[in-house]
Amino acid sequence: MAPRGNPLLGKLARLRAALRTDRVLSASQLKRYFDLELGQLQGREFICFSAVVQPIFRTQTSRQLIWFVTSAPRLPRRLSPEQIGHLCGTAEIRLRLGYPPEQWRSDAAALGKVGKPDAVLTLGPHLVAIEFDTGSYRGRVVRQKREAFSGKYAGLVWGVTSRVRSRNLVETLASHGVQVLHVNWWDSAGTDLNF
């Protein structure tokens, strides 16, 4: 709890809690969800760094230099830009849905595991699988993931960066009870190109 009259301390406490779960956030997420700028973190325990990331798979125009924040000093060296983007995309789903970090367990840095979701949301006695997709999963992989999660979890939320792909996935997954979200973690306006 932040002392009265100092809202910055409250924002920093919320950011610390988020980073314990999400591990890394983009500068855009920092601004959008915490009303903080990277400059406000200088001289504190946070690490600001940049990486070139392709938020939407196979779109050259989406390759961007993006700034990030973490509280884990080794994270920028240990994870690839793809893994960092995957963590941010998974965090965007949590932030958009409005669930607190305590109800969320993320393993989004472990890419390519068909039988394991990127994150798990705990809703009382129920577990909901969370999957983040930049557009790199082929139809067969989408189907395998949906089938693998359907027996183990009470629900599935699938976040995707491409607006076109999100429409296609709604057609493919909605009849199976899957919630599909179009997510944008890299842009300050929360909008993207129409890919």
Side-chain angles (χ1 to χ4, degrees):
M1 181 93 135
R4 290 191 152 185
N6 194 341
L8 177 60
L9 293 180
K11 292 175 188 181
L12 294 174
R14 285 184 45 243
L15 177 59
R16 280 185 205 97
L19 289 173
R20 279 192 294 276
T21 296
D22 301 321
R23 299 178 60 198
V24 64
L25 296 169
S26 70
S28 296
Q29 290 171 314
L30 183 68
K31 178 66 176 163
R32 191 165 46 244
Y33 295 106
F34 300 89
D35 192 29
L36 289 167
E37 302 284 344
L38 289 174
Q40 292 175 282
L41 305 181
Q42 288 181 342
R44 300 185 186 273
E45 73 270 23
F46 303 102
I47 293 92
C48 300
F49 67 99
S50 64
V52 175
V53 180
Q54 186 177 31
I56 303 173
F57 185 69
R58 289 194 181 156
T59 55
Q60 280 302 110
T61 55
S62 76
R63 197 172 288 280
Q64 301 176 35
L65 177 70
I66 300 171
W67 282 90
F68 300 94
V69 62
T70 185
S71 56
R74 293 184 183 150
L75 183 137
R77 291 186 308 276
R78 290 183 58 215
L79 298 181
S80 70
E82 181 184 20
Q83 289 171 303
I84 291 166
H86 215 76
L87 283 166
C88 286
T90 304
E92 183 70 18
I93 297 169
R94 181 185 71 75
L95 292 163
R96 281 266 308 278
L97 294 174
Y99 287 104
E102 301 80 36
Q103 289 181 256
W104 194 267
R105 189 179 73 246
S106 177
D107 193 27
L111 301 174
K113 297 192 178 191
V114 172
K116 190 171 183 182
D118 291 321
V120 175
L121 169 63
T122 302
L123 295 174
H126 305 289
L127 300 178
V128 177
I130 307 297
E131 190 61 30
F132 173 71
D133 177 6
T134 62
S136 63
Y137 298 142
R138 300 208 182 278
R140 176 183 52 79
V141 174
V142 171
R143 198 169 36 261
Q144 286 174 333
K145 284 179 173 279
R146 180 191 51 79
E147 289 170 2
F149 302 155
S150 67
K152 299 176 190 171
Y153 298 93
L156 172 59
V157 177
W158 197 289
V160 63
T161 55
S162 163
R163 198 174 296 282
V164 170
R165 184 164 174 85
S166 74
R167 286 192 295 265
N168 293 338
L169 285 175
V170 165
E171 291 175 15
T172 304
L173 297 174
S175 64
H176 298 281
V178 177
Q179 180 182 359
V180 178
L181 293 176
H182 172 251
V183 295
N184 178 329
W185 57 265
W186 66 94
D187 184 49
S188 60
T191 60
D192 68 352
L193 306 169
N194 264 334
F195 292 107

